[in-house]
Amino acid sequence: MNVKETIRLMESEPAGKLLGALYGKEAVEEQVKRYQELLAGFEKTFGEYKDVKLFSSPGRTEISGNHTDHNHGKVLAGSINLDCVGVAAKNNSSQVRIVSETYNQDFTIDLNQLEPSPKLAGTVDLVKGLLKGFEESGYTVGGFNAYITSNVISAAGVSSSASFEMLLCSILNTFFNEGRMDTVAYAHIGKFAENKYWAKASGLLDQMACAVGGLITIDFLEPSDPVVEKIDFDFGSQNHSLIIVQTGKGHADLSADYSSVPNEMKKVAQFFGKEVLAQVSEAEVLEHIAEIREFAGDRSVLRALHFFEENKRVEAEVAALKENRFEDFLTNITASGNSSWKWLQNCYTTASLQEQGITVALALTELFIAEKQRGACRVHGGGFAGVIMAMLPNDLVDEYISCIEKATGKGSAYRMSIRPYGAVCVSELI
C-alpha cells in the first residue's frame, strides 16, 4: 500500500478503532492527523514507494519494583499512550536512512560499516548497535528508509530511548525476519546496543515494557532469561489516569546516588557470599541483622529490606489485578512509594539537601489524595531528582494538574493511560 492509500486508510473505521485502543477514543481525530502528516513527511523526504508500513512503539512506566531489577528482583510495568511512530519502507540497498522529525536528525548508516564511534554515544551509535545486535543474534538486516516522530517525554523516566529502539526492532522484524521474532529478542538486542554501543549498563526492564505492551510483570531472577508475564487487565475500565509530573531536575551530578543503590544492596548479599540480593532470603538478613549493620552499614540494610518487601508488593499487585481488586492495587502503589521514600531513600540527594523537588511534589500530592480519599502516588524511576507518578480517578485529574503545576510549573504534568499494545506494525493490525 502506497502513501496516498495509507493516508486514506487512516480515516477508515478499523483504523479509528485501533487508534482508540492505542491512544484513547478522545484522541482518535488528533492521531489520524498525526499519522497522515507523518506519511506526507515520508513521501516528501523519500519520494513515492509502492509499499510503506506504519509502526508504533510506546514509552513505559514503572508501577512497582523500584530499584529491584539490578539485584534480580521483580517489577510491574506498563506501556503508555505516548509513543514513537514511524513510516518505513525497504529501499533494496545496504543503506539505512532515518529521519527524526522530533529531534531534527537525518542520518544514513551503511550496513557494511557497523563499528561504533570512539565516543560510544548518540543516536547513530545506538542504531548501529541495534543492527549489529540483529546480526549477532542470527537475524537478518537490510536497507530501509524511516521517517519518525515521538511524543515520549525525554528525561522523565518513561524510556524515550527504549521506545525508539523497539520501534526499529519492529521494523527490522517485519521487513526482514517474517515477523518471527518475539519481544524478548527485541529487548536483548536493545540491551546489547546500549551496553556495547552506548557504554550504558542498562538491564532489560525498559525494553521489555516497551516491546510487550499492556501491564507486565518481570522476574529477573535469571536475568539472561527473565520470566515475563502479561497481565490481562483492562486498565481503561477503571476510569483512572496515570499522571507523570516533572518536578525539576537537581543541579548535582546524581551518578554516585544511583550507583549507591545497587552497590549497597549487593554489599548485604556479599555478607552471605552471594552476588545479588535475590540469592538471599529476608529471613537470613533479619537473623544476622546486627552483623550486617556492622559489615554493610545501616542504609544498606534498609535498602535490602526495601528490596525484599518490594518483591512482595509486586506479587500482591499482580494478584490484585488478576482478581480485579483495583483498590488493593492502589494501596500497594502507595506502600511502594512510602518504602522508596523511607527505606530505599531515593527521593532526594544528600549532596544538595535543599533541592527536594520530588518530596515536595509527593507531599502536595499526598495532601490532595488525603482530601479526596482517592488515588495513589509514588516516586517514578531512578529517583533522587526528576519525576513522580500519580494514579487518580479521571474526574480529579484536571483539578490535580492545576494544583500540582502551581509548584512544579505550567506544562510539567502529563496525563497518560496504559495501552494494550507494545511495539507493533500498525499497518498489520488495521
Side-chain angles (χ1 to χ4, degrees):
M1 192 174 290
N2 63 31
V3 167
K4 290 180 177 60
E5 291 169 336
T6 309
I7 287 175
R8 289 194 295 271
L9 177 66
M10 297 312 297
E11 297 175 350
S12 68
E13 184 178 338
K17 185 175 181 181
L18 176 61
L19 294 176
L22 289 172
Y23 307 103
K25 293 179 181 178
E26 70 285 349
V28 170
E29 185 176 342
E30 174 189 351
Q31 292 297 327
V32 167
K33 182 179 179 182
R34 180 187 180 210
Y35 276 77
Q36 289 179 331
E37 288 177 348
L38 195 68
L39 285 156
F42 176 93
E43 188 166 61
K44 182 178 179 180
T45 303
F46 298 110
E48 293 186 10
Y49 276 77
K50 291 182 179 179
D51 189 16
V52 300
K53 293 187 183 297
L54 291 165
F55 298 85
S56 166
S57 176
R60 71 100 180 108
T61 180
E62 173 203 277
I63 295 170
S64 278
N66 196 218
H67 278 287
T68 58
D69 58 319
H70 47 58
N71 268 259
H72 302 184
K74 301 176 181 181
V75 300
L76 177 63
S79 58
I80 58 176
N81 61 336
L82 299 180
D83 64 346
C84 190
V85 176
V87 185
K90 291 191 283 188
N91 60 24
N92 301 312
S93 76
S94 63
Q95 307 284 312
V96 170
R97 184 181 172 196
I98 294 174
V99 176
S100 171
E101 185 180 75
T102 307
Y103 295 103
N104 194 28
Q105 293 177 309
D106 184 346
F107 58 89
T108 300
I109 293 171
D110 190 325
L111 294 172
N112 298 309
Q113 298 176 357
L114 296 181
E115 63 279 356
S117 73
K119 63 181 181 178
L120 292 176
T123 308
V124 174
D125 276 344
L126 183 63
V127 176
K128 284 183 177 180
L130 289 169
L131 294 165
K132 190 66 173 179
F134 265 75
E135 290 184 345
E136 294 206 354
S137 300
Y139 297 107
T140 303
V141 297
F144 65 91
N145 296 328
Y147 193 86
I148 294 171
T149 187
S150 177
N151 61 10
V152 183
I153 317 158
S154 60
V158 290
S159 300
S160 56
S161 57
S163 173
F164 172 71
E165 294 164 23
M166 298 303 97
L167 182 87
L168 294 186
C169 285
S170 182
I171 291 172
L172 289 162
N173 184 29
T174 301
F175 284 160
F176 307 109
N177 294 278
E178 294 80 45
R180 70 177 187 274
M181 298 172 63
D182 61 29
T183 48
V184 175
Y186 285 15
H188 277 287
I189 289 171
K191 179 179 183 293
F192 169 87
E194 292 195 6
N195 293 171
K196 302 298 184 182
Y197 280 66
W198 258 16
K200 181 181 177 183
S202 56
L204 289 167
L205 169 59
D206 295 352
Q207 287 81 5
M208 287 300 304
C210 293
V212 177
L215 288 164
I216 64 168
T217 182
I218 310 172
D219 186 342
F220 288 102
L221 183 60
E222 297 293 340
S224 62
D225 188 23
V227 178
V228 182
E229 180 184 0
K230 189 164 184 175
I231 310 302
D232 185 16
F233 182 80
D234 181 9
F235 189 87
S237 69
Q238 300 301 318
N239 294 315
H240 275 63
S241 289
L242 188 149
I243 301 98
I244 295 293
V245 182
Q246 292 181 305
T247 69
K249 185 173 176 61
H251 298 300
D253 178 9
L254 302 174
S255 298
D257 292 290
Y258 291 130
S259 297
S260 70
V261 177
N263 291 343
E264 289 179 14
M265 288 183 182
K266 290 175 181 178
K267 183 73 172 178
V268 174
Q270 288 168 16
F271 176 85
F272 298 95
K274 304 296 184 181
E275 182 182 354
V276 294
L277 279 179
Q279 299 166 329
V280 181
S281 72
E282 186 174 17
E284 289 176 302
V285 171
L286 294 173
E287 177 69 22
H288 298 278
I289 194 73
E291 302 102 302
I292 296 171
R293 290 179 66 191
E294 182 70 24
F295 175 79
D298 285 348
R299 191 172 68 172
S300 299
V301 169
L302 285 166
R303 286 175 164 173
L305 294 176
H306 164 84
F307 172 87
F308 295 121
E309 294 301 309
E310 191 76 341
N311 282 338
K312 295 177 192 176
R313 277 187 288 270
V314 169
E315 293 174 354
E317 288 178 44
V318 169
L321 290 171
K322 288 181 176 179
E323 296 163 15
N324 203 30
R325 293 182 285 108
F326 193 69
E327 287 302 318
D328 291 344
F329 167 71
L330 293 178
T331 296
N332 275 290
I333 288 178
T334 298
S336 174
N338 287 336
S339 181
S340 291
W341 193 336
K342 294 191 299 184
W343 295 14
L344 183 62
Q345 298 180 31
N346 71 325
C347 288
Y348 59 90
T349 173
T350 56
S352 183
L353 290 173
Q354 285 300 324
E355 288 186 10
Q356 296 202 29
I358 283 179
T359 45
V360 168
L362 285 173
L364 294 172
T365 305
E366 288 180 3
L367 287 171
F368 182 90
I369 289 171
E371 178 188 347
K372 305 298 182 181
Q373 293 294 297
R374 292 185 290 165
C377 66
R378 54 159 300 126
V379 63
H380 188 265
F384 297 107
V387 186
I388 72 163
M389 178 191 84
M391 200 169 287
L392 295 169
N394 290 335
D395 63 296
L396 297 179
V397 170
D398 289 342
E399 183 182 354
Y400 169 73
I401 289 176
S402 177
C403 174
I404 198 67
E405 286 187 346
K406 290 177 182 177
T408 56
K410 190 72 174 174
S412 60
Y414 301 84
R415 180 176 184 166
M416 306 175 188
S417 61
I418 304 295
R419 81 178 213 177
Y421 294 97
V424 292
C425 177
V426 172
S427 299
E428 293 183 350
L429 295 178
I430 298 175

